[in-house]
Every structure is written in structure tokens, then in C-alpha cells.
Amino acid sequence: MVKRKISGMEPVRWSDGQVEWILQNRIPWEETWKKSPSVEELARGIETLEMRGAPVIGMAAAYGMALSAHNYKGRDVSGMAQYIEKDRERLAKTRPTAVNLFWALDRMSRRLVRLIEDGGDVDAVMEGMLREARALQKENAEDSRRMGENGKDLIEDGDVVLTHCNTGPLACGGIGTSTGVILSAWEEGRDFRVVATHTAPLYQGARLTVWEFMKMGVPVTLITDSMAAYAMKNEGITKVFLGADRILLDGHVANKIGTYQLAVLADYHKIPFYVAAPMSTVDSKSSSIQIEMRRQDEVRNVLGKLQITMPDVPVFNPAFDVTPPELISAIVTERGVAKKPYGESLSSML
Ligand code: MRU
């Protein structure tokens, strides 16, 4: 059997009292890191997709809370919680759909309350917040490996796996979610190929997924989003694998716009449709999902550079859609592979 080695990465990290992140909006043209001591700049980085992908948004928010604690240094501990709460509110306003953002903010807030109750000084609270953000990042990377292990046998020799948007190390840390499953099957020595969609209007598939798979030597072919039905019918697509930004307990999955249409097409062509996501993407509290509406110019222009339509045409630009559970064959998590009915399988994994 061919022995292959895959590797993960951490696209957001703590660096000397600042947060540092790789600028995903510059890939594949350049690999540039940005470093900032400002929570506001970090929040804008999330909004403008310098950092993106549900798990990485959560990690950025966790480091944002640690950064807020760090920026409070030299003052009295009594005002610390209030100071950090303001930054938390700013971070919570960045992107509404990926639940990992709120999951990470809640975890960091709970830690903050405990640290302050323990009676430590400002430095002790800051250290505790940084430890928590680092722990979250470490667990996330370990979970991505577990997801890969749990899902890798769903990919067999000869498969042609269609994926959408970007679910690799850039979006998720570690080895990624859905991409992590694909990479784990690749590491195992399986022979298959990947078909990646452009993912309009911001081209996460063309720019990021292709970049990641090509770097790791996994055969990948690029198609536009509108070629999916043709590719399923004529190009031998055998599986669809993608990620999630929020999963309701009943199995409704919010993911990058275009996911729902791929699920409908996969159902029509009788192709298994798999989702891979960590349990931090499962929202056990909500019964509906807020879809982020983004700027109209993202559709009027190609990546802010070339205007491709009339400048004032009205645009509809939802960043995500919701796929109903009946179209999803299974959901791979770090705790196992959830099958229908998802209400039962996901609840038992929580
Ligand atoms: O708008 P984005 O690029 O943050 O959207 C990302 C996705 O939809 C991913 O597929 C998702 O976060 C799942 S795994 C990272």
C-alpha cells in the first residue's frame, strides 16, 4: 500500500501579545500573515474573510477574548469582566451563521467568570484566558484527526469526491473537517480524486481548496458551481463531502451557499451526500438558523476587482443555505458517524 503523509496547520495563532493570522483572502496569490494587537482589527478580519471557515472563526474569537484580557493589563481586576464583555459583543457581531463563533465566545466567557471568582490578579486572568484559547485550538486539531479516522472508510478506491467551499486546514485548523476526512483516506493509501467547485461569489473552492489539495498532492479537478449536475451525470462523481457552519439537532445543516442545490442534485443522481463537522458546530439550542446576507458588490464584482454587471443592479447575496436532513446520508463528527434520525444520533453524541 502507498504510504502518504498529510499535515495540518493552524491559520490563527497567538504571537507575543498579539494575534496573528494567515490572510485567506490573498491565497493563492501570496501567503501573507498579519499580526495585530487590536480586537477591532481582528473582528474586521473575520468580517472581511481574512479568516474564515466555522472552526477558525471560533478560534479567532477565542484568541480575541484572550487579546482583550491582555489589553486590559495594568488596570484593576474589578473592571476586567466589563472591559472584555465589550470586546465579546463586538466579536459576536462579526458573522451570524457559524455557531462555532458563539460556542467559543461562551466557552471563553465561562472561563473568565471562573478565573475572576478564583480571585487571581489581572495577569493570572490573562494567562488563564490564553491557556483556554490554546486548549480550544489543540482540542480542535485533535478532533479533526478523530473526524478523519471516523470518516475515512466512507471513501473507497476509485471514488470521485465532489466538495464545495473550503473545509481544510485553512478553514478549520488541524487537517480540516470534510477535507480532513478526504486527507485521512488519502493518507491511508486509497486512490480517488477530488472535484472542487469554484464556490461563487468569493471562490473559496477555487482559491483555497485547490491550493490545499495541490500542496498535498491529492488529484483535484476544478469546476464551476453550475457544472455540478453535468459532473454528477457524466464525470462519475461517486460521493459528495462537505462541511457545516451550523447543524440543528434535527439534522438541518447550514453551509456555504450552493450546498442545498448540491444535496438536491446528489439525491436525484443517487450519490451519497456526507457532511463532516465537529460537535462545536451542533447547535442544540436553536430551531432556526440566521443566514448571513453579505454585500451586494461581492456579486457585482469578481473579488472586488472586475465589475461584471451594471453597477446598480439589485443583488441577492445570502452566504449560506440550509439543507434538510432527509438529503444527508450521514454526518461525520469526532464522536462518530451520525445517521438518521439525527435527532437521536446527534443527541446521543452531545
Ligand atoms: O463564508 P465562509 O467561507 O466562512 O464559509 C465557510 C463554509 O461554508 C465552510 O464550508 C464551513 O465553514 C464548513 S467547514 C469550515
Side-chain angles (χ1 to χ4, degrees):
M1 196 205 293
V2 201
K3 246 318 200 211
R4 298 170 178 138
K5 189 86 204 105
I6 57 159
S7 52
M9 77 172 283
E10 292 308 329
V12 183
R13 59 195 181 205
W14 183 260
S15 169
D16 247 349
Q18 304 192 39
V19 180
E20 191 170 26
W21 59 95
I22 190 164
L23 291 170
Q24 295 196 41
N25 55 343
R26 302 260 181 92
I27 293 175
W29 306 284
E30 53 184 75
E31 287 171 43
T32 312
W33 290 76
K34 177 171 173 176
K35 201 169 170 175
S36 175
S38 150
V39 173
E40 177 56 32
E41 205 169 350
L42 183 79
R44 282 205 213 116
I46 298 173
E47 283 163 349
T48 57
L49 308 196
E50 289 175 0
M51 278 160 283
R52 51 145 298 283
V56 159
I57 294 172
M59 253 176 279
Y63 278 123
M65 295 272 284
L67 184 60
S68 180
H70 183 267
N71 291 347
Y72 188 74
K73 64 180 173 297
R75 287 176 251 188
D76 191 273
V77 75
S78 60
M80 194 171 191
Q82 209 181 353
Y83 178 91
I84 297 176
E85 177 56 27
K86 269 189 141 167
D87 281 335
R88 180 204 148 93
E89 280 170 20
R90 174 69 185 96
L91 290 163
K93 284 199 184 107
T94 51
R95 299 196 70 192
T97 304
V99 76
N100 307 59
L101 170 71
F102 307 97
W103 171 85
L105 290 175
D106 286 351
R107 176 168 162 170
M108 294 300 290
S109 289
R110 284 198 301 275
R111 186 79 195 119
L112 176 64
V113 169
R114 281 199 304 275
L115 286 162
I116 290 178
E117 278 172 4
D118 286 351
D121 60 12
V122 167
D123 286 347
V125 174
M126 190 272 141
E127 284 305 322
M129 291 292 276
L130 182 54
R131 262 200 310 278
E132 187 73 1
R134 285 187 161 136
L136 184 151
Q137 182 162 42
K138 185 166 174 281
E139 287 162 27
N140 178 74
E142 289 163 357
D143 286 346
S144 77
R145 275 285 178 183
R146 276 189 208 110
M147 240 177 288
E149 281 302 306
N150 292 340
K152 69 184 181 197
D153 288 343
L154 295 169
I155 300 178
E156 298 154 301
D157 280 331
D159 269 341
V160 182
V161 183
L162 178 77
T163 191
H164 184 57
C165 196
N166 171 252
T167 66
L170 285 168
C172 314
I175 58 169
T177 55
S178 180
T179 292
V181 172
I182 298 171
L183 290 175
S184 299
W186 182 251
E187 190 174 48
E188 199 70 8
R190 310 245 156 86
D191 279 315
F192 57 86
R193 63 190 183 92
V194 175
V195 172
T197 61
H198 259 174
T199 320
L202 298 175
Y203 302 103
Q204 291 93 330
R207 295 186 299 105
L208 311 174
T209 301
V210 166
W211 182 81
E212 287 177 336
F213 280 128
M214 288 189 79
K215 267 189 164 220
M216 302 224 209
V218 181
V220 57
T221 305
L222 179 65
I223 60 170
T224 67
D225 301 6
S226 52
M227 292 171 191
Y230 182 93
M232 285 183 188
K233 191 166 179 205
N234 302 304
E235 280 299 300
I237 306 283
T238 52
K239 311 254 157 85
V240 179
F241 252 99
L242 31 67
D245 283 78
R246 190 183 291 241
I247 302 176
L248 297 184
L249 259 197
D250 64 5
H252 279 86
V253 169
N255 190 49
K256 178 52 56 195
I257 190 74
T259 298
Y260 175 39
Q261 72 192 20
L262 290 174
V264 172
L265 290 174
D267 184 54
Y268 181 83
H269 291 95
K270 307 207 176 345
I271 296 170
F273 184 95
Y274 298 111
V275 171
M279 292 305 289
S280 53
T281 302
V282 176
D283 176 359
S284 59
K285 296 186 200 123
S286 312
S287 54
S288 64
I289 300 174
Q290 187 190 340
I291 297 295
E292 175 184 3
M293 292 291 165
R294 292 187 62 89
R295 289 184 309 107
Q296 299 190 35
D297 271 346
E298 286 183 350
V299 176
R300 295 187 188 118
N301 303 319
V302 179
L303 298 177
K305 293 189 177 88
L306 178 68
Q307 186 189 312
I308 50 164
T309 186
M310 304 300 284
D312 49 359
V313 62
V315 165
F316 178 54
N317 188 16
F320 302 96
D321 57 28
V322 178
T323 300
E326 58 271 22
L327 297 181
I328 299 167
S329 309
I331 301 175
V332 180
T333 78
E334 72 276 24
R335 297 199 190 144
V337 180
K339 300 255 175 68
K340 282 176 252 192
Y342 295 113
E344 281 171 27
S345 53
L346 289 175
S347 298
S348 74
M349 285 181 188
L350 271 177

